[in-house]
Amino acid sequence: MSFVTGNKIRISLFGQSHSEAMGTVIDGLPSGFKIDEEKLAAFMARRAPGNDEFSTTRKEGDKVRFVSGITNGVTNGAPLCGIIENTNTRSKDYENLKDVPRPGHADFAAWSKFGDNRDVSGGGQFSGRLTATMCIAGGICKQLLEEKGIHIGAHIASIGTKKDDLFDAVNVNKEDFVGEKSFPVINDEKGEAMKEEIRKAKSEADSIGGTIECAIVGVPAGIGDTLFGGWESKISSAIFAIPAVKGIEFGRGFEASTLRGSENNDAFRMKDGEVVTSTNNHGGILGGISSGMPIIFRAAFKPTPSIGKEQESVSLSRKENTTLIINGRHDPCIVKRAVVCVEAAAAIVAANMIL
Amino acid sequence: MSFVTGNKIRISLFGQSHSEAMGTVIDGLPSGFKIDEEKLAAFMARRAPGNDEFSTTRKEGDKVRFVSGITNGVTNGAPLCGIIENTNTRSKDYENLKDVPRPGHADFAAWSKFGDNRDVSGGGQFSGRLTATMCIAGGICKQLLEEKGIHIGAHIASIGTKKDDLFDAVNVNKEDFVGEKSFPVINDEKGEAMKEEIRKAKSEADSIGGTIECAIVGVPAGIGDTLFGGWESKISSAIFAIPAVKGIEFGRGFEASTLRGSENNDAFRMKDGEVVTSTNNHGGILGGISSGMPIIFRAAFKPTPSIGKEQESVSLSRKENTTLIINGRHDPCIVKRAVVCVEAAAAIVAANMIL
Amino acid sequence: MSFVTGNKIRISLFGQSHSEAMGTVIDGLPSGFKIDEEKLAAFMARRAPGNDEFSTTRKEGDKVRFVSGITNGVTNGAPLCGIIENTNTRSKDYENLKDVPRPGHADFAAWSKFGDNRDVSGGGQFSGRLTATMCIAGGICKQLLEEKGIHIGAHIASIGTKKDDLFDAVNVNKEDFVGEKSFPVINDEKGEAMKEEIRKAKSEADSIGGTIECAIVGVPAGIGDTLFGGWESKISSAIFAIPAVKGIEFGRGFEASTLRGSENNDAFRMKDGEVVTSTNNHGGILGGISSGMPIIFRAAFKPTPSIGKEQESVSLSRKENTTLIINGRHDPCIVKRAVVCVEAAAAIVAANMIL
Amino acid sequence: MSFVTGNKIRISLFGQSHSEAMGTVIDGLPSGFKIDEEKLAAFMARRAPGNDEFSTTRKEGDKVRFVSGITNGVTNGAPLCGIIENTNTRSKDYENLKDVPRPGHADFAAWSKFGDNRDVSGGGQFSGRLTATMCIAGGICKQLLEEKGIHIGAHIASIGTKKDDLFDAVNVNKEDFVGEKSFPVINDEKGEAMKEEIRKAKSEADSIGGTIECAIVGVPAGIGDTLFGGWESKISSAIFAIPAVKGIEFGRGFEASTLRGSENNDAFRMKDGEVVTSTNNHGGILGGISSGMPIIFRAAFKPTPSIGKEQESVSLSRKENTTLIINGRHDPCIVKRAVVCVEAAAAIVAANMIL
């Protein structure tokens, strides 16, 4: 299901890792909005690989061409379609994966659902590359939200067992965002330890997981809905659309399950005539609805399944056990590149909640 | 948003804690299905309070009256509506909460969104009591799934810092389910330590959180969809509709973020002519699609916000700080009663994915 | 599909003709809206049978009981559920219809889809009686719209070949509405000829069809959407949910297909600083979007299929031709009672477009 | 709203008349389906202008380039995106329309909704040209349906007051379809009179409307849903997405409103062991559900608003009356080219109902 439909904005994503092109259609944008294409390109570039030691040496030219929805650089009210032409694909790297699914990857599930007609090249529609289409939509939503004083920022919260500092859940604001850093962490010293984790994994032809923390600031109290329409339902639904995410928690999250109510409840206080909470264990969401405090969540990313080590798998055609060596170029850790995807998914949800 | 709409089944929930009635409408059920009403009543009873030392002494008669959709005990293809009449409500317990929101509760967010016209009694539409309507729908979906060999079971995985055993993620099957136990844990001895945590919290007029683990077994490989239509997106969206949930993780979840790919990848192996995985860190879901292994997830519940201790809050009318003592009858821990709600939410999603 | 989901308001209908109860759930209503229950009862009464010579002598007590969503007579933001308990049902009238489907009725299609478990009594979920649930939702939406200066009125435009006057498409306003009349036509003299048509059909144990014209006035220009989201798409989709509707046309409608562009195009003119059209062949909708002129449409109703005359049908069990005499009480013409249903369907759509 | 979302297939359309490209995304197609691209091109060509005396001399190269969703000519399960690059656009023809809206056209409504940022060129997103994107989706759905024995055919039923024969509503089958004819009518002699109508309108710098009849054959009984999910609701919703449609009727349609029940009811009869009706006034749909008889409907198209004659309009900037002469190339009658669009819209709906 490549469609996400909300009250305001409807988005459809298309493409496979090595299809001719991939892209996104966004319906429901207000007319008269000037998309800052340079800013969008910078946003997209945060996801693109090949710009440092930690990512695959593939070159991905994530240049967005808007083929509809824009007149003279400004949205015209028609559905906007942004396309990225695919180039520099090395499909033959994937030939042996057609019969032998990669452990931990979507290969086997894809074969179960779509059979032999699935696109195997580069992971087909299951490729992390497709998050580029989500970033087109998310990058535009982010710009729309910024006009309304709502800002979204994420950072790497951990790589393996090495942790960054967390946002100050009560006071975080856009000045605290570090997304533009080449290694987006709050505490650069801790970032060095995290980089070292990645280097170690890479040197052993292995990969490593991590977590990302995201904050949405500037959302007024009273936005959202109950039950299936709450912020947690909507955000989690979008975040799990990013490949490799296996967990999400809001505010104090799993740790809250170990606490007493007297510890976890956030006291209400008056501040400058507004109701605030003195702590933010609730992560800015109460009963599915925004409380006016920063919305905070963390997502867990499993380690990239594509590793260089020999692994045990099966031959789908011969129905027998075999081993697999994966060739091709792969990231030892996709967490760094996923930071911008988390922001994009959050922006899509927030735009639908707020616009 | 009390509506959840899927490809097959559309569900709408209604009611407030103290409204005349609450209920659920289910559209899209196949005709000719015999609902086992006794089994449904037993399912509903697992959620109902008042049957042990750990829950409020309120009596909730969660008797479902089907007013449409059934002829001679069998579904007739028309939308099914099941209603629970509300009785034994003590609305005056909630009078002082109209002006002073409970820390950690939806009160303040509800006021921000709905203003003075919101229903305050018993938490209104934000009450955990509304999960009864979700259990009607989920209980019926569960019966439908069982006809197809798909079974869903959950247990308390932890209370505070005290933990139960976890399911054997590879081999769990319906015989391992413990939902019918009065304190649904796998390891009763560990259960005693968990009960002790609740007793302690209760004795201190406090509350305590916990986690619930759920398994969906019997789902064949190849069910589900990519991106926003994946199992994780759909399940998380439904689980966060249960009040007090602040986190969810699938398979190895957050722990996977600390692992190497070589540790986390689940090797594929042939077994009795079928492709299986020798471990199940992926929790039965790859690329949003079922792998044929048990689907496993855990949800984190914060401690009940309603506690007896004095807390800091504000007067919404006077815009000033104040303190709050909550009267009324409240659970020191809702985790035990939420086990069945987790099964219900999972069943609603699974029915929409599979039917 | 008993669910209609829009950007703002989501509605779910339930019930069969003779089920214990039927009703409607409305999610997304603003809080703080005072529903005028007397006005709603008067609206519902326009649909109810038994109040004159032209309708069945069945008594239908369409008394709505609101079981949720309202506190102290005012919407509280929670999903509103209104229920009508069914009484005075004579199910045995329908026994012979279980095997022999009524020509022109949904009986055969229902059997094809739902098999022997369908509810046959009173037409089950296919009964025109279910439009009462649509009227609950529509009646409330109508009140909401009136607060915003938008008014909806319909009248019988024809019975058989006898026609009423049509609305003045350019100038129609709420003062022209005749819905409260016991026989809602613009021209009472022409109404007498229409009544005579019904009497004739009734005296011959037959039924007769007709058309209904509806106007939505006060909609500002620029509301609506292109393609599948246009007013015509949305209104037609809702109007065809009313049983017996077989056609719909907007503005000049089918007649426009016989005209030249120079005849059909509505000239734009300035009037009191506003852009208006000097004629309204476009029925207030251009490109799916409101033009600011009255929105006008007409719906065609086939004659009631349940007639007293002997008809040819088949035995579903014996797979052979047979004849059918329908017992029970039936309307010779449902057009009069359907006027309010057309208003209700239009109001549901308009509320979703405008709120 | 350029999105149509069904149970099975979700479609998103994008583009403006003169945007860089336009296209369609289709999600939910089964994998392994071989799209006959030559057949699709022939289908698209039926809509394209420039191939006879009756249509604009613009050249529209509606060549579809599939950029995703297909591997080796076969669907791979990923969302399919088909793109048409726009060429040969003469935007300056539309400069004077920016301030002076064309009577009968969407110009004024577009300005009301989207303001000065709307795309004026060629009618922007409101252009009939966008139906090409609907034809991509519809053409593919049609091929899918044909594999299941379901065929869709439409013809010009009238131009102005000149009428073609109608389908034999009981016996029509795919052999009766005339869509491939250069002037798709059943009775070529009557077709000559219809052509003459168009020539006359053209010679007077005017345009003329018409109607199109469509049949869907091969749909088994029991498909569809009640209320808002019925065939009439779904088909009408899609057909009104085609610009210029102002009316739709099913089976006997508006004429049924003039009939007695004894005339309009279709007798059920056994034929070769199957239940059929001896007439088909119901148009193959009873209670929203298919009866197994051909599904028949007719749509009314208003005359093209763009005519050469001088017309009265207003200056939006100066807020005063003015006159308008429309330059550019325009069809005197779009009915002929719309025949394939009607088939496309019907195919999209039928695919969602049936697959």
Side-chain angles (χ1 to χ4, degrees):
Chain A
M1 241 269 281
S2 62
F3 279 50
V4 63
T5 58
N7 287 356
K8 293 295 175 185
I9 289 176
R10 289 160 290 276
I11 291 170
S12 130
L13 310 179
F14 58 89
Q16 304 112 243
S17 185
H18 292 181
S19 59
E20 270 196 49
M22 58 185 186
T24 189
V25 182
I26 316 176
D27 182 46
L29 290 175
S31 65
F33 180 73
K34 182 159 183 45
I35 294 172
D36 184 332
E37 296 201 30
E38 216 164 298
K39 199 170 175 179
L40 182 65
F43 187 76
M44 301 291 295
R46 290 171 51 194
R47 200 206 67 84
N51 53 5
D52 69 11
E53 60 177 320
F54 300 124
S55 54
T56 158
T57 56
R58 273 172 294 149
K59 287 271 175 264
E60 292 179 3
D62 289 349
K63 197 174 155 38
V64 185
R65 170 188 166 219
F66 290 109
V67 299
S68 71
I70 295 187
T71 305
N72 303 326
V74 169
T75 57
N76 57 28
L80 180 148
C81 178
I83 283 177
I84 298 171
E85 302 280 342
N86 270 328
T87 51
N88 185 33
T89 57
R90 285 182 18 194
S91 295
K92 66 177 178 302
D93 284 347
Y94 296 87
E95 262 319 293
N96 68 326
L97 305 178
K98 193 148 194 171
D99 189 45
V100 183
R102 286 168 288 179
H105 208 284
D107 297 346
F108 172 68
W111 174 81
S112 300
K113 184 175 174 70
F114 298 118
D116 290 332
N117 296 299
R118 75 195 185 284
D119 181 8
V120 176
S121 284
Q125 62 173 310
F126 295 90
S127 168
R129 173 135 179 68
L130 266 294
T131 54
T133 65
M134 200 186 289
C135 286
I136 301 174
I140 293 170
C141 287
K142 204 160 175 263
Q143 292 186 20
L144 272 165
L145 291 164
E146 284 167 6
E147 277 219 333
K148 300 191 180 304
I150 293 159
H151 297 268
I152 298 175
H155 69 103
I156 309 176
S158 64
I159 297 291
T161 55
K162 300 293 184 283
K163 296 183 181 175
D164 189 19
D165 296 337
L166 294 182
F167 284 133
D168 173 344
V170 172
N171 298 308
V172 59
N173 66 56
K174 65 174 170 161
E175 279 70 39
D176 302 318
F177 292 165
V178 296
E180 314 282 315
K181 288 188 187 177
S182 72
F183 196 80
V185 290
I186 296 175
N187 184 322
D188 292 331
E189 201 170 326
K190 293 181 175 175
E192 287 307 315
M194 295 154 89
K195 284 185 193 175
E196 195 52 36
E197 282 288 285
I198 303 176
R199 281 187 203 106
K200 264 195 284 184
K202 188 181 178 186
S203 71
E204 296 169 29
D206 211 337
S207 65
I208 183 85
T211 61
I212 290 172
E213 185 183 49
C214 183
I216 310 174
V217 302
V219 178
I223 307 287
D225 216 328
T226 58
L227 292 169
F228 309 102
W231 278 94
E232 288 116 331
S233 287
K234 295 294 185 188
I235 289 178
S236 63
S237 174
I239 291 292
F240 280 114
I242 304 172
V245 176
K246 296 305 275 187
I248 190 168
E249 59 180 4
F250 293 82
R252 202 75 174 264
F254 274 87
E255 201 185 6
S257 73
T258 66
L259 301 179
R260 291 286 183 84
S262 57
E263 295 169 301
N264 187 61
N265 286 349
D266 300 303
F268 288 111
R269 298 280 86 181
M270 295 305 304
K271 183 183 171 188
D272 306 332
E274 298 291 317
V275 177
V276 298
T277 59
S278 50
T279 49
N280 186 11
N281 297 324
H282 69 289
I285 309 168
L286 291 168
I289 295 172
S290 59
S291 70
M293 297 301 289
I295 292 175
I296 308 265
F297 66 90
R298 281 168 302 284
F301 286 74
K302 68 178 182 186
T304 329
S306 293
I307 56 175
K309 289 189 168 177
E310 184 180 277
Q311 297 180 87
E312 294 187 321
S313 186
V314 295
S315 159
L316 295 173
S317 62
R318 296 193 315 274
K319 299 275 178 200
E320 61 184 35
N321 290 341
T322 182
T323 56
L324 174 73
I325 299 278
I326 303 173
N327 300 313
R329 303 157 294 182
H330 299 285
D331 288 340
C333 183
I334 46 78
V335 179
K336 170 183 171 296
R337 292 174 58 200
V339 169
V340 70
C341 303
V342 167
E343 293 181 12
I348 290 170
V349 171
N352 254 323
M353 300 294 257
I354 289 163
L355 290 182
Chain B
M1 241 268 281
S2 63
F3 278 49
V4 62
T5 59
N7 287 355
K8 294 293 175 185
I9 290 177
R10 288 160 291 276
I11 291 171
S12 129
L13 310 179
F14 58 90
Q16 305 112 241
S17 186
H18 292 181
S19 60
E20 269 195 49
M22 58 185 186
T24 188
V25 181
I26 316 176
D27 183 45
L29 290 175
S31 66
F33 180 73
K34 183 159 181 46
I35 294 171
D36 184 333
E37 295 201 30
E38 217 164 296
K39 200 170 175 178
L40 182 65
F43 187 77
M44 302 291 296
R46 290 171 51 195
R47 200 206 67 84
N51 53 5
D52 69 11
E53 59 177 321
F54 300 124
S55 54
T56 158
T57 55
R58 273 171 295 148
K59 287 272 175 262
E60 292 179 2
D62 288 348
K63 196 173 156 36
V64 184
R65 169 188 166 219
F66 290 108
V67 299
S68 71
I70 294 188
T71 305
N72 304 325
V74 169
T75 57
N76 57 28
L80 180 148
C81 178
I83 283 178
I84 299 171
E85 302 279 343
N86 270 328
T87 51
N88 186 33
T89 56
R90 287 182 17 194
S91 296
K92 66 178 178 301
D93 285 347
Y94 295 87
E95 263 318 292
N96 67 326
L97 305 178
K98 194 148 193 173
D99 189 45
V100 182
R102 286 168 289 180
H105 208 285
D107 297 346
F108 171 68
W111 173 81
S112 300
K113 185 174 173 69
F114 298 117
D116 289 332
N117 296 298
R118 75 194 186 284
D119 182 8
V120 175
S121 283
Q125 62 173 310
F126 295 89
S127 168
R129 173 135 180 68
L130 266 294
T131 54
T133 65
M134 200 186 287
C135 286
I136 301 174
I140 292 170
C141 288
K142 204 159 176 265
Q143 292 187 20
L144 272 165
L145 291 164
E146 284 167 6
E147 277 219 334
K148 300 191 179 305
I150 293 158
H151 297 268
I152 297 174
H155 69 104
I156 308 175
S158 65
I159 296 291
T161 56
K162 299 294 184 281
K163 295 183 181 176
D164 189 17
D165 296 337
L166 294 183
F167 283 133
D168 173 343
V170 171
N171 298 307
V172 58
N173 67 55
K174 66 174 170 160
E175 278 71 38
D176 302 318
F177 292 164
V178 296
E180 314 282 315
K181 287 189 187 177
S182 72
F183 195 80
V185 290
I186 296 175
N187 184 322
D188 292 331
E189 201 169 326
K190 293 180 174 174
E192 287 307 315
M194 295 154 88
K195 285 184 193 174
E196 195 52 35
E197 283 287 285
I198 303 176
R199 280 187 204 106
K200 264 195 284 183
K202 189 181 178 187
S203 71
E204 297 169 27
D206 211 336
S207 65
I208 184 85
T211 61
I212 291 172
E213 183 182 49
C214 183
I216 310 175
V217 301
V219 178
I223 307 286
D225 218 327
T226 58
L227 292 170
F228 309 101
W231 278 94
E232 289 116 331
S233 286
K234 295 294 185 188
I235 289 178
S236 64
S237 174
I239 292 293
F240 279 115
I242 304 172
V245 175
K246 296 305 275 188
I248 190 168
E249 59 180 4
F250 293 83
R252 201 75 174 265
F254 274 87
E255 201 185 6
S257 74
T258 66
L259 300 179
R260 290 286 182 85
S262 57
E263 296 170 301
N264 187 61
N265 286 350
D266 300 303
F268 288 111
R269 298 281 85 182
M270 296 305 306
K271 184 183 172 189
D272 306 332
E274 297 290 317
V275 178
V276 298
T277 59
S278 48
T279 49
N280 186 11
N281 296 325
H282 69 289
I285 308 168
L286 292 167
I289 295 173
S290 59
S291 70
M293 299 300 291
I295 292 174
I296 309 267
F297 66 90
R298 281 169 302 283
F301 286 74
K302 69 178 182 185
T304 329
S306 292
I307 56 175
K309 289 189 168 177
E310 183 179 277
Q311 297 180 88
E312 294 187 323
S313 186
V314 296
S315 159
L316 295 173
S317 62
R318 297 192 314 274
K319 300 275 179 200
E320 61 183 35
N321 290 342
T322 182
T323 56
L324 174 72
I325 299 278
I326 303 174
N327 300 314
R329 302 156 295 182
H330 299 285
D331 289 339
C333 182
I334 47 78
V335 179
K336 170 183 172 295
R337 292 174 59 199
V339 169
V340 70
C341 303
V342 167
E343 292 180 13
I348 289 170
V349 172
N352 253 324
M353 299 295 256
I354 289 162
L355 290 183
Chain C
M1 238 268 281
S2 63
F3 279 49
V4 61
T5 58
N7 288 356
K8 292 295 175 185
I9 291 176
R10 289 159 291 275
I11 291 170
S12 130
L13 310 179
F14 58 90
Q16 303 113 243
S17 186
H18 291 180
S19 60
E20 270 195 50
M22 57 186 187
T24 189
V25 182
I26 316 176
D27 182 46
L29 290 175
S31 65
F33 180 71
K34 180 159 185 45
I35 294 171
D36 184 333
E37 295 202 29
E38 217 164 297
K39 200 171 176 178
L40 182 66
F43 187 77
M44 301 290 295
R46 290 171 52 196
R47 200 206 67 85
N51 53 5
D52 69 11
E53 58 177 322
F54 300 125
S55 55
T56 159
T57 56
R58 273 172 294 149
K59 290 270 176 260
E60 292 178 4
D62 288 349
K63 199 177 153 35
V64 184
R65 170 188 166 220
F66 290 108
V67 300
S68 70
I70 295 188
T71 304
N72 303 326
V74 169
T75 57
N76 58 28
L80 180 148
C81 178
I83 283 177
I84 299 171
E85 302 279 344
N86 271 328
T87 52
N88 186 34
T89 57
R90 284 182 18 194
S91 295
K92 67 178 179 301
D93 285 346
Y94 295 86
E95 262 319 294
N96 67 326
L97 305 178
K98 193 147 194 175
D99 190 44
V100 183
R102 286 168 290 180
H105 209 284
D107 297 346
F108 172 68
W111 174 81
S112 301
K113 185 174 173 72
F114 298 117
D116 290 332
N117 295 299
R118 75 195 184 284
D119 181 6
V120 176
S121 284
Q125 63 173 309
F126 296 90
S127 169
R129 175 137 178 66
L130 265 295
T131 54
T133 64
M134 202 185 288
C135 286
I136 301 174
I140 292 170
C141 287
K142 206 161 174 264
Q143 292 187 20
L144 273 165
L145 291 164
E146 285 167 6
E147 278 219 333
K148 301 191 179 304
I150 293 159
H151 297 268
I152 298 175
H155 68 103
I156 309 176
S158 65
I159 297 290
T161 56
K162 301 293 183 281
K163 295 182 181 175
D164 189 17
D165 296 337
L166 294 182
F167 285 133
D168 174 343
V170 172
N171 298 307
V172 59
N173 66 56
K174 66 175 170 160
E175 278 71 38
D176 302 318
F177 292 164
V178 297
E180 313 282 313
K181 288 188 186 177
S182 71
F183 195 80
V185 290
I186 296 174
N187 184 322
D188 292 331
E189 203 170 323
K190 292 181 175 174
E192 287 308 314
M194 294 154 89
K195 286 184 192 173
E196 194 51 35
E197 283 288 285
I198 303 175
R199 282 187 202 105
K200 265 195 283 184
K202 187 182 180 186
S203 71
E204 297 169 28
D206 211 337
S207 65
I208 183 83
T211 61
I212 291 171
E213 185 182 50
C214 184
I216 311 175
V217 302
V219 178
I223 308 286
D225 217 326
T226 58
L227 292 170
F228 309 102
W231 277 94
E232 289 116 332
S233 286
K234 295 295 185 189
I235 289 178
S236 64
S237 174
I239 292 293
F240 280 114
I242 304 172
V245 176
K246 295 305 275 188
I248 190 167
E249 57 179 7
F250 293 83
R252 202 76 174 264
F254 274 86
E255 202 185 3
S257 73
T258 68
L259 300 179
R260 290 287 183 83
S262 57
E263 295 169 302
N264 188 62
N265 286 350
D266 300 303
F268 289 110
R269 298 281 86 182
M270 295 305 305
K271 185 183 171 188
D272 306 331
E274 297 291 317
V275 178
V276 299
T277 59
S278 50
T279 49
N280 186 10
N281 296 324
H282 69 288
I285 308 167
L286 291 168
I289 296 172
S290 59
S291 70
M293 299 299 291
I295 292 176
I296 309 267
F297 66 92
R298 281 169 302 284
F301 286 75
K302 69 178 182 186
T304 331
S306 292
I307 57 176
K309 289 189 170 179
E310 184 180 277
Q311 297 181 89
E312 295 187 322
S313 187
V314 296
S315 159
L316 295 173
S317 62
R318 298 194 313 275
K319 299 274 178 200
E320 62 184 33
N321 290 342
T322 183
T323 56
L324 173 72
I325 299 277
I326 304 173
N327 299 313
R329 303 155 295 182
H330 300 285
D331 288 340
C333 182
I334 46 79
V335 179
K336 172 183 169 295
R337 293 174 58 199
V339 169
V340 70
C341 303
V342 167
E343 293 180 11
I348 290 170
V349 171
N352 253 324
M353 298 294 256
I354 289 162
L355 291 183
Chain D
M1 238 266 282
S2 63
F3 278 50
V4 62
T5 58
N7 288 355
K8 293 294 175 184
I9 290 176
R10 289 159 291 277
I11 291 170
S12 129
L13 310 179
F14 58 89
Q16 303 113 243
S17 185
H18 292 181
S19 60
E20 270 196 50
M22 58 185 187
T24 189
V25 181
I26 316 176
D27 182 45
L29 290 175
S31 65
F33 180 72
K34 180 159 184 45
I35 294 172
D36 184 332
E37 295 202 29
E38 217 164 297
K39 200 170 176 179
L40 182 66
F43 186 77
M44 301 291 295
R46 290 171 52 194
R47 201 206 67 84
N51 53 5
D52 69 11
E53 58 176 322
F54 300 125
S55 55
T56 158
T57 56
R58 272 172 295 150
K59 290 270 176 261
E60 291 179 4
D62 288 349
K63 199 175 152 36
V64 184
R65 169 187 166 220
F66 290 109
V67 300
S68 70
I70 294 188
T71 305
N72 304 326
V74 169
T75 56
N76 57 27
L80 180 148
C81 179
I83 284 177
I84 299 171
E85 302 279 342
N86 271 328
T87 52
N88 186 35
T89 55
R90 286 183 15 196
S91 295
K92 66 178 178 302
D93 285 346
Y94 296 86
E95 262 318 294
N96 67 326
L97 305 178
K98 194 146 193 175
D99 189 44
V100 183
R102 285 168 290 181
H105 209 285
D107 297 345
F108 172 68
W111 174 80
S112 300
K113 185 175 172 72
F114 298 117
D116 290 332
N117 295 299
R118 76 194 183 285
D119 181 7
V120 176
S121 284
Q125 63 174 309
F126 295 90
S127 169
R129 174 137 179 66
L130 266 294
T131 55
T133 63
M134 202 186 288
C135 286
I136 301 174
I140 292 170
C141 288
K142 206 161 174 264
Q143 292 186 20
L144 273 165
L145 291 164
E146 284 167 7
E147 278 219 333
K148 301 191 178 304
I150 293 159
H151 296 269
I152 297 175
H155 69 103
I156 309 176
S158 65
I159 297 290
T161 57
K162 301 293 183 281
K163 295 183 181 175
D164 189 17
D165 296 337
L166 294 183
F167 284 134
D168 174 344
V170 171
N171 298 307
V172 58
N173 66 55
K174 66 174 170 160
E175 278 70 38
D176 301 319
F177 292 164
V178 297
E180 314 282 314
K181 288 188 186 177
S182 71
F183 195 79
V185 290
I186 296 174
N187 184 321
D188 292 332
E189 202 169 324
K190 292 181 174 174
E192 287 307 315
M194 294 153 89
K195 285 184 191 173
E196 195 53 35
E197 283 287 286
I198 303 176
R199 282 186 202 107
K200 263 195 284 183
K202 188 181 179 187
S203 71
E204 296 170 27
D206 212 335
S207 65
I208 183 83
T211 62
I212 290 171
E213 185 183 50
C214 184
I216 310 175
V217 302
V219 178
I223 307 287
D225 216 327
T226 58
L227 292 170
F228 309 102
W231 278 93
E232 289 116 332
S233 287
K234 294 295 185 188
I235 288 178
S236 64
S237 173
I239 291 293
F240 280 114
I242 305 172
V245 176
K246 295 305 275 188
I248 190 166
E249 58 180 5
F250 293 83
R252 201 76 173 264
F254 274 86
E255 202 185 5
S257 74
T258 68
L259 301 179
R260 290 286 182 83
S262 57
E263 295 170 301
N264 187 62
N265 285 350
D266 300 302
F268 288 111
R269 298 281 86 182
M270 296 305 305
K271 185 184 170 187
D272 307 331
E274 297 291 317
V275 177
V276 298
T277 59
S278 49
T279 49
N280 186 11
N281 296 325
H282 69 288
I285 309 167
L286 291 167
I289 295 172
S290 59
S291 70
M293 298 299 291
I295 292 175
I296 309 267
F297 66 91
R298 281 170 302 284
F301 286 75
K302 68 178 182 186
T304 331
S306 292
I307 58 175
K309 290 188 169 179
E310 184 179 277
Q311 297 181 88
E312 294 188 322
S313 186
V314 295
S315 159
L316 295 173
S317 62
R318 298 192 314 274
K319 299 275 178 200
E320 62 185 33
N321 290 342
T322 183
T323 57
L324 174 72
I325 299 277
I326 303 174
N327 300 312
R329 302 155 295 181
H330 299 286
D331 288 338
C333 182
I334 47 80
V335 179
K336 172 183 170 296
R337 292 174 58 199
V339 169
V340 70
C341 303
V342 167
E343 292 180 12
I348 290 170
V349 172
N352 254 324
M353 298 294 257
I354 288 162
L355 290 183

